[in-house]
Each structure stands twice: as C-alpha cells, then as structure tokens.
Amino acid sequence: MADRDINTSTKPDLRVNCGGIKAPNPFWLASAPPANSGLQVQRAFEAGWGGAVWKTLGTPIQNVSSRFGGHTIRGVQGAGFNNIELITDRSLETNFREIAETKRLFPKHAMVVSLMVETRQEWQDIIKRSIDAGADGLELNFGCPHGMCERGMGSAVGQEPKINQEITSWAVEYSTVPVLVKLTPNVSNIIPHGIAAKRGGAHGVSLINTIKSIIGVDIDRFVPEPRVGGLSTNGGYCGSAVKPIALHMVAALAREKEFGLPISGIGGITNWRDAVEFILLGSSSVQVCTEVMLKGYRIVEDMIDGIENYMQEKGFATIDQMVGKAIPAFSEWGDLDLNYETVAKIDASKCIGCQVCVAACHDGAHQCIHPNKDGSRVPIVDESECVGCNLCQIVCPVPGCITMQPVTNGYQPATWNQHVHDGKSLRPKKGAH
Amino acid sequence: MSSPLPAPLPADRSEAVFTDYKLPPAREHAIAEANRCLFCTDAPCVNACPTRIDIPQFIRKISTDNVRGSAKTIFEANILGMSCARVCPVEVLCVGACVYNNMDSPPIQIGKLQRYATDAAFEKDWRFFEAGPDTGKSVALIGGGPASLAAAHELRRFGHRCTIFEKRSVLGGLNTTGVAPYKMRADQSLREVEWILAIGGIDVQLNTSIGDQVPLADLESKFDAVFVGAGLGADSALNIPGESLPGVVGAVQWIEHIKRSKATLNGVSRCVVVGGGNTAIDAVREAIGLGIPRVTMLYRGSEAGMSGYEHEWDAAKQQGAIGEWKALPTAFEGTGKVQRIRCQRLDDAKKPIAGSDFTVNADLVLVAIGQSKLGQMLGSLSGITIDKGRVITDARGFTGRNKWYAGGDCTNGGKEVVNAAAEGKAAAHGIHEFLMTTKRT
C-alpha cells in the first residue's frame, strides 16, 4: 500500500498542558523578536505554531542600531547567534491591544505574556493588564543577560534565588493564570534557581534564556561584535550551538526530586528532532526563537509532521507519554558501566575513502585507525587498540558508514562506584599505554 | 640580459574574440564550495595531481579568506598554478579523484577554486619567492615552455643562474601558442611568464635555435648543466596526395596562427579537422568559435574510440560540431586550393572497406594527427637514449649523460601543462643535487 498520510484515527495527539497553559501543540514562539507584535504572532499561529510567549513587556526601552551577531561555523551562518536587543520598545497600550486582538482571533492557542518590571506595584499593574488583555499564562523574565541586568532586572534577578523567589511570589499572588519563571543559564548550578521559583509558587519554569557572550571581534577595527559605532557589549548567546547546554540544564532540573515543576524547554531548537530531545529530557513544551529568525515561521510545518511521524513510529499517542522518557537514563559518571565496550566498524561498501577518520583518530584520539596497505582507501580499525570513543563516527561524512558496535568481552557490568565500594573487577584498559 | 620579453601580441588577433568558458568563482561561491571540502587525509586529489599541490590545504585557506596563503600553497608546488587552473583537464585529474564522486555527490570544483586563488595573486601582484644566494652555477634551458619555466624558477630558488633559449619570439610554449583561447588567451600566458621571470636572474635568448645557431657542444661547455624542455615539433602529415594544397594546414600551426595573429577566414564555410585527439577537439571548438558555419571532425575510429576527452567532445557537440567516424582520408582534392577530402570507410578493425569511397567537402582542413618528436636533436650526444623520438630520463629528469636533464613533452610524448610543470620542477631538483655534489672544473 502506498505511503499515505497518517490515518486520523491513529494520529498522535500533539496537545500540551505546560503548567496549566494549554496549547494545540508543543511548539511555541519564545519571547523574542518573532513574538514582537500582533501581526507577527497571528501569522505564526496561521503557520501552525501552538503558542507564543509575547516579547517581554515592561517600561518600553530604546534599542541600539546593530543588535544581532552571528557565529559562522565552516560556512554555516547563524550556527550560533547573539543579540543585545532589550525588551519591548513599543508602548504597553499597543502591546495589550494587539495581544487582545490576537487572542480573539486564535482563542485556542497559548498566549503567554513575558514580563519584566521592578517594583511590586509595577508587577501588580502589569500582571493585571496582561490578564485583562487575555493572557493564558505569564512568563517572568529573570533571564536576560544584557542591558536589563545592568538596571537590576533580568538575569540580575535570576542569579539571586532569594530575589527570584520573592518576585515570583508577588506574581503568583497577583496572577489568576499560570506563572512560568524563565531562568538564566548564567549560573554555575541551575537547581537552586529552579527550586527558588518553585518556592515562590511558580507553576513551571522555562529555560534556558541566553548565555552571556561576545559573538566575535571585528579584526580590522579591533571592536567586538555586534558593533555599535566604536563600541560593543556582551550579548545573549543562542541558536543551535547552545542546545547542548540547554539540554543539560533542562535535564538537571527534570531529574531533581525536589523540583518537580513542568518545564518549557528552550535553547537551540531548530527542528522536530531537537524538540523531541527536549521533551524526552523533561520539557512539556518547547520554545523557539533563533531558527525562526533565520528561516521564518514556516519551519513549524516540518516540526509538526516530523514529530507526528516519530510518535507514530514509536507508538506514542500523546506528548505527555514522551515527557522525561530519557531522564531515567541520565545518570552520574560513576554509575556508568566501565566494562561496556564498543569498537568502530567501517562499512567498506559505504566508505568513500576520504580517510578523515584516520587523521581524527591519529591526531585526536588513540591512533588505532590506519590507512589500508593493500591499495584500498578503506581504513583499517585496530580493534585491539580502539577505545570506542566515537570520534571517527562523528567525523565520517557518510551516514551509517562507521558504527560503534558492542563487544562481548566476558566481563560483568561494573561501574566505578561498584568497583570502589564492592571491588568489582574491571576489564583491562585499552589505549592507555 | 638580452631581449627579456617579446613585442606585444596584436590586439586584433583572432583569439581575441574568445571569452572564458568557465568564469572564475565569486568570493561567496568560492567560500561556500571550499567549505564543502572534506579535508581528506592522503587526499586522492593530491595524488591525482602531477605537481602534488596540497589541495585540501589551499582549499581550507580559501574557506577562511586566507587567499594569499592559499595561492602560496599552490605556487609552492606548481609555479604554473595559474595556467594549470585554467587548462588542466581536472575532470580526469584532481576533480575526477575527489571522494565525493564515490557518494554520487558533486565533486569539489578544485580547478575553479585554484583559479580563484591564483587569479587573486595575479590581480594583486603577490610575489612569494625569492632567488637563492648565488651558487656560481649556471644552467642552460632549451625551450621556453612550461617545463623550462618551472625548472628555471626552481633553479633560481636554489640560486643557480639560468639562460632560456627559445626558438620563437615568445615564451610560454604551448601555453602561449597552443592553449584553446576560451581556456586561456596568449596574453594571459605571457603575463604568467613575466610573473615567473620576476624572480630575476633568468636570461632569455629568444629567436634562438639550439643546434642551428648554438651548437649543443657549446651549451655543454659553457654551462654547468643543461635542461632540455624543447617540447614537440611540427604537425605530423598524412602523406597523401594533395596535402600541399592551400587550405590544408597542420592544426597546431593553425592554432598558433589564430592565437598570435589575425587569420583570414573569408570564404571558409566548411572546415574539417582530421584526428581524434584533444588538439583536434580544440581545433574544432576554435573553428566554430571563429564563426565557421560547418565544422566536422573526421576520425579513423569510432566516436567512443577517440583519444580526446569525452567532456571536451561533449562541449564541442553542444556547440554544433559534426562527427564523421571511421573515415580514412586518401587524398585532398581541389583546383588551386582544397575543396574536398576523398575518404574510405573503415571497418571496426580500422581496415578500409572495398568500394566505400566517399568525399567530404571542405575549404579548410586542419590536420591534427600528432606532432613530430624532437628527440633526434640530441641524437649526436652519447649517453642519451631516444625512443621513438622521446628523450628517456629517470624520475628526476636525468638523461644518462652527465649534465643533461630533460622534461615536458619532449620526454613524455605530449601531455598536459601540469605534467611539464611537474617534470621541470623534478629535473630542477635533480640538477641542483648534481650541481651541489660535483666539484667545479
């Protein structure tokens, strides 16, 4: 039978409920330029986005010219990205009118309003006006690491658990809708900050906000980027390159027993695969900014049917069934099995003979992949020396050509902790001579 | 130093109508393409290059906008890197060896990237090399083509003085007189010559024939070593009746004519090129480019059996070239000038088929069946082996006779510019070793 669209009777249910905020799917715009105005958010919802976190409201600011910087990696522009743009520069009246209009046109979509003000009174006022405009939830911006933090807001709040908890408790007191606290990654350990939000009464957290950064330096002018006249300042790093940092922080909170709040995952999500990874590590919705800035709202089409196809293949009926599914497998190093052994196998039928793996192994690993001496360009793996590090697999340009295959070595599983405490025996080291 | 450079080429020479068939890549394209390169280990492209240019390295340097470093990497291996970027048959050399071919992905456009870097070097007049401290040794180089230029430049880096003897009034050899103008025009070759000679200390004797004007014995006695880079001789003839009729010309001779002067093509409407090699295909494409309405390639063998590159013939066909296969010319006929070629049809074994006579009309016939070999010019020197006109050498150009080295077409029988560049450079290393290990007499 021809491959057809997913049968509607078995079509996975993408609806989510993140801390009480409901949406038709887990894909939300993050609070950022793509969620700056009513017309933008309406177009995003039309394209398929399930929710939006409106660009942060507060006392409108004045921005600089030259706000974004891109990090290019081997020709891939925007592999990393940073910005020195602040919160909304539009009047609150305009923002609230457009929020109300958008909510009226898209009543089932999640309308979350991001907020950042200073005094208790200001929080009370802006929360009331947001809810009056139709907000389904609030997101407290305790994350912005540039500009606003110099004024005692954003990450200046997020880095101080006591202040975080206090302001969160004000917001929860004044709000009749769920409150998410957006956390900054510019801390050494995320857990106290998530717990502070919980103690303040938050209904969930969103993370990560951007990472304090200098995106580059203009080597002709001797000025960092993005350049504003003759000066620059640190910005917030985001985009695909930050995903690993975000995944770790999301997972660290998700597995923390004392925490237990819903998480809206953010940080370098560019496609459905990234989204699935965030969900498997404990996110019940995901937020996207940079990839939309680089490619536009229509990337959501692939996100939606990509995740639907994945769920169908894996037998997930709802997003909830996936949330945190990989958390039990996120462990401490001391609990990893030291007797688990893999070696690299090169599929000669797929190998194109570039020998990039040879250089990588010789210069960057354990000198166990060698050029073939029989005239073939398919390299030889010396399995007695291969430590199973994965480097060759990572550098190989041909998908599926190099695989890491488990070896039966006759040793029972033994972790470092078991070895130290119970004296379990470890297999002989490889590549350690 | 006498007559360093020849008179400029006439502006109205025929080749001036040709423009580049492959434009150099823009910076954006070059960087994007450079970023695709896998930076292979022991890269097949390098192994496919006779001059062993470190291709992954020069491409990586393009990707980081280190164009100057990229050009240096190229010229360090091959001082003729600019012309090679334009004239190399990369499809059968570096590009043909790119590992991307093994995964059905487009190979890296190495020739284009090399052109990007080397064109920049010429445009900005970057110089990378200086002559070595004078060794007091001197080397004579016979012929002023790619092999001798590559050898002389390398010898100057070692500090040996050089004198190039060239029988024509221009240097550059076939780069100047023979390369298809849509790949490289003669003025570009002369610019390259000038750029190479700028290392200094290379004396050039133009319009000087070795053997006739300067006896071989004189070279041997006056110089510490001799490099023979004499190239090939005149077009071979079919030796059939009517070959001396006006309008029957050797292809190499005709190509030199259109590259250096204005050819009169009035009344030429049917051109037939006899042959199946790359010179024949070049002549076909050049005749079409000069506006001759009907251009036919006439070859003894089948279309598939041609020795010319398939990609070149495909391009010729796209331009409108006609093929006449399994045809053997038996006579040129005409009154006062050539009007037709009498032919016989050949069978698969290239044997004439009885009663298969036919004629092909032509008012210009270009005979491209090879060039004579010049090895006999050295025939009087004992110790040098000549095989079917080719000078035999070892891998470093040594002929077997003390002092005498050779490279390029006169040793390889007629290959690419890049082969001549590689052989000239290898011989320079051989000569250097010889000069520095022999006592001065």
Side-chain angles (χ1 to χ4, degrees), chain A residues 74-75 351-359 377 397-399, chain B residues 31 35 38-44 47 60 99-100 102-103:
Chain A
R74 283 191 282 281
C351 177
I352 60 171
C354 66
Q355 299 190 354
V356 170
C357 57
V358 173
R377 285 193 57 91
V398 185
Chain B
I31 292 175
N35 273 311
L38 296 170
F39 205 63
C40 294
T41 301
D42 183 27
N47 296 326
R60 186 169 180 90
V99 296
Y100 271 124
N102 301 337
M103 57 187 274

